[in-house]
Amino acid sequence: MPGITGRTRLLGIVGDPIAQVGSPQACNPRIAAAGADAVLLPFHVPEAEFEVAMAGLMRLGNLDGLLVTIPFKQRVLDLADTVRPVAALVGAANALRREADGRWTADMFDGVGLLRALAGLGVSPEGASVLLLGAGGAGRAIGVSLARAGAARIGIHDLDRARGEALAARVREAAPGCAGAAAEPVARGYDIVINATPVGMRPGDGLAAPLGPLAGVAAVIDIVPKPPMTPLLAAAAEAGCRIAGGQVMIEGQAEAVLEFFGLPPGRG
Amino acid sequence: MPGITGRTRLLGIVGDPIAQVGSPQACNPRIAAAGADAVLLPFHVPEAEFEVAMAGLMRLGNLDGLLVTIPFKQRVLDLADTVRPVAALVGAANALRREADGRWTADMFDGVGLLRALAGLGVSPEGASVLLLGAGGAGRAIGVSLARAGAARIGIHDLDRARGEALAARVREAAPGCAGAAAEPVARGYDIVINATPVGMRPGDGLAAPLGPLAGVAAVIDIVPKPPMTPLLAAAAEAGCRIAGGQVMIEGQAEAVLEFFGLPPGRG
């Protein structure tokens, strides 16, 4: 990356924890390849400090945009002056940018990342039966995107059953042809299994839910970017499923996110 | 510099404006040479947003320290839990670090930078007669440091005459053998002339004061880091003086500042 100077524009990713994020690695080489004098940084915003830390970051005159990860994808909507349609439908956002007039716009790209990760595995969402673990910000984006991409059925498991059912209703709204329903976390019979919870990120984590045998599932995707081989992905690989981790999703959405931030597409 | 990841620790420099700062260029190669996973960034804190922006930056869990430049070197003292002796004497600080217990310590390194820049020019402060323009945060650090380094006389010019006289008193306190006094901004008879005001930073700026002929002055130093050749330095070079700009001062204090931030000394 070119050297940082006083003229370098700042982008960031906010989350708690932050060490596991993959966006700096995904975005900075693309920014450099585009010849832009900008850098994307990790900002560790402790959950209890969200309001104060975000207010401070959003006042910086040389900060143009923020990516938003766990656990702030829903709270960040309160900070936006404008919420774009996908983010509004999902009820969460993972990107926030400053407009020329100083106002902030929120949008949601997690669905884009998931669809690109699936495409990379050669597995089509069309007509697929999907088990989705987690109905938080990322889970909602993924559920809505899969429904719109033609998934036939999406079973949703969330420890908060009401949250899972709310997402199921939203999935049916997003694509009336898609059977969205709260479901038990049992993998058998699904084509695609997706972990959209943070479980797997911390040492000692197991699976987000006892999924039973994974054999027969075509693709298993874990949104956790680090470690690259989560317990879920390891079990899926052993069962012969195609797998992709969170870093693949992050890479998949990096181009779309940088375009949202107003950076020119890479020359590389 | 090594690639930025979610584990990279952040340092910054806050100022308004910010484009002219030289600390990222001075510090990041040293950080990289030391093998530390950290990066120093420019944070543009608009003057009217100082409290909110600083409160936000200081809550970030992965930000370990901040350099502070114009116009915040005095206000930053209010944000520190501990003010080290030099900063307390000067009444201003240009560095703030988070301690292990979460408290913040302020210190002042501008004097270190000035003395190293003088040494680089081969001009000794001992017994020297110095004209100092500007009695703000940087000017105070420089005045006190020169007095302690053995300057015989320091004439101080500030548009705010009371501020100039206050620094003169502080200089005499810091080194009773040094004649500190408010002075007219006329270079004749001085060995060293120092601009410690921001004048020279903006396009169209002239000199901070009409200095008269510079011939006979041994060394002229301008704390403005950008442009590298300010109107003052250009005039001084033409008059045959040795010159150094703000980037030289920044380079001069970079090692001391990074050590304050707890980074290992460079291996390079």
Side-chain angles (χ1 to χ4, degrees), chain A residues 4-8 10 18-19 21 24-25 28 39-46 49 52-53 55-56 59-62 226, chain B residues 4-8 10 18-19 21 24-25 28 39-46 49 52-53 55-56 59-62 226:
Chain A
I4 293 170
T5 75
R7 298 189 183 282
T8 302
L10 307 183
I18 198 70
V21 298
Q25 301 93 308
N28 283 326
V39 61
L40 191 139
L41 304 156
F43 291 124
H44 180 206
V45 172
E49 309 284 7
V52 174
R59 305 294 174 99
L60 296 177
N62 58 344
K226 207 170 185 179
Chain B
I4 293 170
T5 75
R7 297 189 184 281
T8 301
L10 307 183
I18 198 70
V21 299
Q25 300 93 307
N28 284 325
V39 61
L40 191 140
L41 304 155
F43 291 125
H44 180 206
V45 171
E49 309 284 5
V52 174
R59 306 295 173 99
L60 296 177
N62 59 344
K226 207 171 186 180

Side-chain angles (χ1 to χ4, degrees), chain A residues 4 6 15 18 21 24 26-27 32 42 51 59 67 113 121-122 129 134 142 156 187-188 201 209 217 226 230 234 262:
Chain A
I4 293 170
I18 198 70
V21 298
C27 293
E51 275 81 12
R59 305 294 174 99
L67 288 171
L121 297 181
S129 176
I142 288 168
I156 298 154
R188 191 189 316 259
M201 186 189 295
V217 175
K226 207 170 185 179
T230 59

Side-chain angles (χ1 to χ4, degrees), chain A residues 60-113:
Chain A
L60 296 177
N62 58 344
L63 188 142
D64 298 324
L66 291 169
L67 288 171
V68 180
T69 190
I70 289 168
F72 303 128
K73 291 184 184 184
Q74 295 162 64
R75 289 172 80 180
V76 74
L77 291 182
D78 298 335
L79 304 181
D81 301 295
T82 305
V83 176
R84 283 182 147 193
V86 171
L89 183 67
V90 167
N94 79 329
L96 198 60
R97 77 170 176 214
R98 192 203 310 263
E99 305 294 345
D101 64 2
R103 294 162 65 86
W104 290 82
T105 299
D107 205 348
M108 181 46 137
F109 295 90
D110 280 342
V112 173

